[in-house]
């Protein structure tokens, strides 16, 4: 009985926090992540859903713009560009951009001043970047990783130079691995949580090896995998390492629309035009 009261109190508190968070502009205290486990230590308990996507149009449009830039358009018209250098926009005008400072093709220090929110994947003064912001209907947070100080020197790492950005919107958990240079450990996976959709660099050289990247992809087991940062790497080289666990869907379009209800039943690598 005591445990039941505890569960009810915890669920009620969670509801209160999420309902009070609202859907306004960037907030100091965003609601808790829906992509992280919150009650793993309480067995046989299922919390009621208080999803921010409830009673709303629940579709997100994803467009491949080029290199490692994808454009996300949320139900409340927040437009996000990942690894934004200014070179790839697909004709969209982003209100939010995320960046990683591995190469100049992944960031710019002079973004268009009309962009309302510029989120760096690196910190200042030796401190890691820390983002957990509610912007419109999307919660944006990050998990930092290290980058190589020199292009092919895997021993010399610059701490927290890259961020895995996670976008929680319309009941979906969408992750962009950025310019990932090393395998993830258990603390990374715990901080990332569930990813329904993941954007994965598959160049195999400038970022992580294909073996390493495919291992991470299998571990995350997202419903949709979106390759990026491919260069001349044959798609078959990446797929061959997936051990038949993922379907492959090559599309002639650069965009698609997705919701929780339309996620594929079997994990699928979706290759958009231009990748």
């Amino acid at each position: 009985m005591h445990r039941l009261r505890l569960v009810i109190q915890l669920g009620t508190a969670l509801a209160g926090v999420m309902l009070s968070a609202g859907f306004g502009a960037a907030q100091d205290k965003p609601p808790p992540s829906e992509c992280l486990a919150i009650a793993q230590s309480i067995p046989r308990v299922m919390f009621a859903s208080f999803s921010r996507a409830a009673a709303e149009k629940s579709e997100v449009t994803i467009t491949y713009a080029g290199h490692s830039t994808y454009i996300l358009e949320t139900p409340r018209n927040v437009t996000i560009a990942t690894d934004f250098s200014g070179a790839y926009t697909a004709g969209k005008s982003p209100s939010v951009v995320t960046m990683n400072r591995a190469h100049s093709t992944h960031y710019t220090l002079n973004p268009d001043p009309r962009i309302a929110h510029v989120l760096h994947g690196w910190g200042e003064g030796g401190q890691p970047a820390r983002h957990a912001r509610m912007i419109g209907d999307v919660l944006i947070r990050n998990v930092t990783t290290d980058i190589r100080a020199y292009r092919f020197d895997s021993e010399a790492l610059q701490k927290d130079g890259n961020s895995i950005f996670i976008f929680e919107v319309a009941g979906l958990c969408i992750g962009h691995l950025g310019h990932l240079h090393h395998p993830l450990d258990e603390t990374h996976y715990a901080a990332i949580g569930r990813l329904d959709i993941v954007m994965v660099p598959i160049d195999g050289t400038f970022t992580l090896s294909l073996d390493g990247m495919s291992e991470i992809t299998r571990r995350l087991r997202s419903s949709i995998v979106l390759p990026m940062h491919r260069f001349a790497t044959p798609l078959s080289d990446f797929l061959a390492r997936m051990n038949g666990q993922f379907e492959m869907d090559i599309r002639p379009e650069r965009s698609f629309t997705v919701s929780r209800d339309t996620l594929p039943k079997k994990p699928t690598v979706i290759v958009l035009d231009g990748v």
Side-chain angles (χ1 to χ4, degrees):
M1 183 64 69
H2 175 71
R3 172 172 286 185
L4 179 59
R5 285 199 299 269
L6 175 63
V7 170
I8 293 172
Q9 290 169 358
L10 181 57
T12 302
L14 175 63
V17 169
M18 295 191 70
L19 290 174
S20 66
F23 294 89
Q27 299 170 355
D28 293 334
K29 294 183 179 180
S33 166
E34 294 179 6
C35 304
L36 297 173
I38 60 171
Q40 289 181 338
S41 61
I42 305 177
R44 297 182 299 279
V45 171
M46 181 177 292
F47 287 98
S49 173
F50 300 103
S51 173
R52 293 186 294 273
E56 290 199 9
K57 178 186 175 184
S58 58
E59 294 180 333
V60 175
T61 298
I62 300 177
T63 302
Y64 180 65
H67 202 51
S68 60
T69 301
Y70 277 93
I71 308 290
L72 310 180
E73 296 173 271
T74 79
R76 289 199 172 185
N77 299 316
V78 177
T79 301
I80 304 162
T82 64
D83 268 13
F84 182 78
S85 68
Y88 307 100
T89 64
K92 313 289 184 180
S93 298
S95 50
V96 183
V97 297
T98 64
M99 301 179 183
N100 276 299
R101 203 169 182 172
H103 299 294
S104 59
T105 51
H106 295 256
Y107 77 99
T108 174
L109 297 180
N110 300 289
D112 189 324
R114 291 173 294 182
I115 298 172
H117 305 281
V118 177
L119 307 183
H120 291 168
W122 66 92
E124 302 296 339
Q127 298 300 309
R130 290 285 181 262
H131 299 293
R133 306 180 62 182
M134 195 73 192
I135 300 175
D137 57 344
V138 56
L139 172 62
I140 304 177
R141 58 188 179 89
N142 74 308
V143 176
T144 60
T145 65
D146 304 336
I147 60 172
R148 291 187 293 269
Y150 305 100
R151 179 168 292 185
F152 297 113
D153 186 351
S154 60
E155 299 300 322
L157 292 176
Q158 177 183 337
K159 190 169 178 58
D160 299 316
N162 177 70
S163 279
I164 296 170
F165 279 97
I166 299 155
F167 311 94
E168 303 189 22
V169 57
L172 293 166
C173 305
I174 304 171
H176 185 285
L177 297 186
H179 212 278
L180 187 60
H181 287 180
H182 60 78
L184 301 181
D185 61 28
E186 293 303 320
T187 61
H188 292 118
Y189 288 113
I192 292 168
R194 183 188 93 241
L195 291 183
D196 302 302
I197 301 170
V198 63
M199 300 160 187
V200 179
I202 63 166
D203 58 280
T205 54
F206 297 101
T207 58
L208 190 59
S209 69
L210 279 180
D211 287 336
M213 201 64 74
S214 59
E215 180 180 345
I216 289 170
T217 304
R218 291 194 303 271
R219 170 71 183 268
L220 290 170
R221 199 164 176 77
S222 302
S223 294
I224 294 176
V225 176
L226 297 172
M228 61 179 187
H229 207 260
R230 184 170 76 91
F231 297 107
T233 304
L235 289 165
S236 57
D237 285 4
F238 177 65
L239 265 294
R241 291 166 166 81
M242 306 306 286
N243 296 334
Q245 298 176 30
F246 289 71
E247 301 287 348
M248 187 167 182
D249 181 358
I250 299 179
R251 301 189 179 187
E253 308 88 10
R254 279 188 174 256
S255 297
F256 71 104
T257 300
V258 65
S259 69
R260 284 285 300 164
D261 293 337
T262 60
L263 289 171
K265 294 181 179 177
K266 182 174 181 179
T268 300
V269 178
I270 295 180
V271 183
L272 297 176
D273 181 47
V275 171

